[in-house]
Amino acid sequence: MNFTFPFFVLIVFVSSGKSQAETFLSSDLKFHTQELLISSGDTARELYESLHVKEVEASLVAGLWFKNDEFLFCWVEPTGDYFCSVYLDFSGKGRLSSFHRDVDYGKGDPVEYIVKKEVKGEGKLFPMKWGMDLVVEGALAEFLRSKIYRAPYDKSRKIYRGEQIACSKHQCLVRVPFSKVNPGDGAIGLD
């Protein structure tokens, strides 16, 4: 599937902040080097439960379980806390890192990890039949935009548009397709 952003899709999110379903999950987010961490437990739990991939127990940490989709990695710690991460690839072209291409996802440049602090913010996750759209604003969007410096830039609209990430000056849209969806409606279950 080609997930390059048509302009009208970006306008829907940038202008109105609403998805087709007008339903979203909100989450605290942290961005450090190449990792975008979804740190709100309830939201991460919804994502974990919605992934239709095999649940695996980590062999080195008793009680740590994870689900690894192509672009989304979620885990539950022995304490019962849930987290999910999306990783950017290192090309700067607005792509997510795929588990099939980078099996450990890589945490980014070690020097950048030590020298730079994580950027915190909030985001809205819009469940779709094929995965989710994640919209971030403010300082977190500016940091994310700096990471996609090689993505095509539309001068007339002032938007960087990569394969899975598109950014205006103060807002970014991250498109996270799931490799397997529920044969029913396939959307993230929101109870």
Side-chain angles (χ1 to χ4, degrees):
M1 251 185 221
N2 183 356
F3 286 97
T4 304
F5 294 96
F7 179 67
F8 70 89
V9 171
L10 185 60
I11 286 297
V12 169
F13 286 92
V14 173
S15 299
S16 68
K18 294 181 181 178
S19 75
Q20 296 163 351
E22 295 189 21
T23 304
F24 66 90
L25 301 165
S26 61
S27 180
D28 294 330
L29 302 171
K30 296 177 187 174
F31 200 143
H32 203 187
T33 64
Q34 302 299 113
E35 178 187 24
L36 181 61
L37 176 70
I38 299 166
S39 56
S40 294
D42 291 340
T43 300
R45 183 181 184 134
E46 290 284 346
L47 290 171
Y48 186 90
E49 301 282 331
S50 70
L51 289 175
H52 298 286
V53 294
K54 184 179 177 182
E55 181 180 51
V56 178
E57 184 173 16
S59 59
L60 297 177
V61 181
L64 179 74
W65 291 85
F66 67 91
K67 287 186 175 182
N68 193 20
D69 200 56
E70 184 172 1
F71 298 109
L72 184 65
F73 177 72
C74 293
W75 69 96
V76 57
E77 295 185 347
T79 59
D81 295 326
Y82 286 80
F83 299 93
C84 291
S85 288
V86 174
Y87 296 90
L88 278 65
D89 75 356
F90 294 96
S91 69
K93 293 184 177 182
R95 289 191 296 236
L96 298 178
S97 182
S98 167
F99 178 72
H100 301 295
R101 291 188 301 252
D102 182 8
V103 294
D104 65 355
Y105 287 113
K107 291 278 189 167
D109 178 12
V111 174
E112 182 181 355
Y113 187 85
I114 294 168
V115 174
K116 292 189 177 181
K117 293 183 179 182
E118 62 189 16
V119 178
K120 296 179 180 179
E122 292 183 4
K124 293 180 180 178
L125 289 76
F126 294 89
M128 303 290 185
K129 290 184 182 227
W130 47 263
M132 71 172 176
D133 280 338
L134 173 62
V135 177
V136 297
E137 298 179 339
L140 190 61
E142 291 172 23
F143 184 78
L144 182 56
R145 191 184 73 211
S146 74
K147 290 291 188 174
I148 64 168
Y149 57 92
R150 292 184 60 215
Y153 183 69
D154 184 334
K155 289 181 182 179
S156 63
R157 295 182 178 101
K158 298 181 181 175
I159 295 173
Y160 287 94
R161 289 189 288 183
E163 288 181 32
Q164 286 118 352
I165 304 168
C167 293
S168 64
K169 187 172 184 178
H170 298 289
Q171 190 173 48
C172 290
L173 171 65
V174 181
R175 180 152 284 173
V176 185
F178 295 162
S179 61
K180 296 180 181 178
V181 295
N182 184 331
D185 65 359
I188 297 170
L190 299 174
D191 296 330

